[in-house]
Amino acid sequence: MTKKTCAFYDERDCKQILLSAEEIDSITTRLAQAIENTYKDSEKQLVLVVILKGSMPFATDLMRKIRKPLQLEFMKVSSYGAGTKASGEIRIHLDLLREDLPDCDVLIVEDIIDSGRTLSRLTQLLQNRNVNSVKTCTLLDKPSRREVPFVPDFCGAQIPDEFVIGYGLDYAEDYRNLPFVGVLKPEIYS
Ligand code: PRP
């Protein structure tokens, strides 16, 4: 049997499960309630901007628990490598194209914050487009990795500086379909 066809090879590549499917479910419930509460008095259109690809499972679970009308948009961005001249800049591969942003409350949905560069620049970029409000929601946060100051408005869990996979998070594009967040065994990537 090849590695790819073994049903549980992905789980065996984890040295530890950081968040089980049940824990993720509780987290998305808590975040959805906090989001509802934050926007309950707003008359603007709530728009979830999902940052591809890693945020997809989180966004789909989260949005179904938010009991308020909302719309969905997608962006795909990548940050330039640290140390380059444009450090802190982001490259936009798929943009948000709508003309009613001043009438929208935008909530950016991310799977993880690491250096903070992506969300810091993205927030700035959307603010410059005169969005009514911009807030951020992340499933995971690694505060010890921060290179630029950034604090998300909604955060599922702070985690240590480990290589995490699953529930959208990848290693070389694999493991995104795991239903939990795990720590990848170092021998897999070293
Ligand atoms: C990850 C994550 C964030 C970014 C966070 O995306 O989804 O967008 O990195 O890192 P930062 O805080 O250092 O900017 P990635 O580039 O891995 O793309 P993917 O979601 O398609 O896997």
Side-chain angles (χ1 to χ4, degrees), residues 141-187:
D141 189 4
K142 281 186 185 174
S144 63
R145 296 268 303 170
R146 225 36 126 254
E147 293 171 17
V148 296
F150 190 85
V151 179
D153 297 286
F154 307 96
C155 175
Q158 291 195 341
I159 59 167
D161 183 15
E162 301 264 26
F163 198 128
V164 284
I165 52 163
Y167 199 62
L169 293 143
D170 74 308
Y171 167 58
E173 297 300 329
D174 285 330
Y175 304 106
R176 293 192 196 270
N177 59 328
L178 293 181
F180 55 83
V181 175
V183 177
L184 190 61
K185 285 180 178 167
E187 57 265 35

Side-chain angles (χ1 to χ4, degrees), residues 35 39 44-48 66 68-71 105 107:
I35 290 164
Y39 294 105
K44 301 290 185 182
Q45 172 66 56
L46 177 59
V47 179
L48 263 53
I66 299 174
K68 179 180 169 65
L70 61 81
Q71 295 180 353
D105 288 324
L107 177 63

Side-chain angles (χ1 to χ4, degrees), residues 51-56 76-80 90 109-122 138 141-142 145-148 150 168-171 173 176:
I51 309 304
L52 299 172
K53 304 176 194 171
S55 310
M56 196 198 74
K76 179 152 179 54
V77 301
S78 58
S79 50
Y80 289 87
I90 53 173
V109 180
E110 264 289 23
D111 52 347
I112 190 164
I113 307 178
D114 196 324
S115 71
R117 292 185 188 282
T118 304
L119 274 187
S120 166
R121 293 296 295 151
L122 208 45
T138 187
D141 189 4
K142 281 186 185 174
R145 296 268 303 170
R146 225 36 126 254
E147 293 171 17
V148 296
F150 190 85
L169 293 143
D170 74 308
Y171 167 58
E173 297 300 329
R176 293 192 196 270

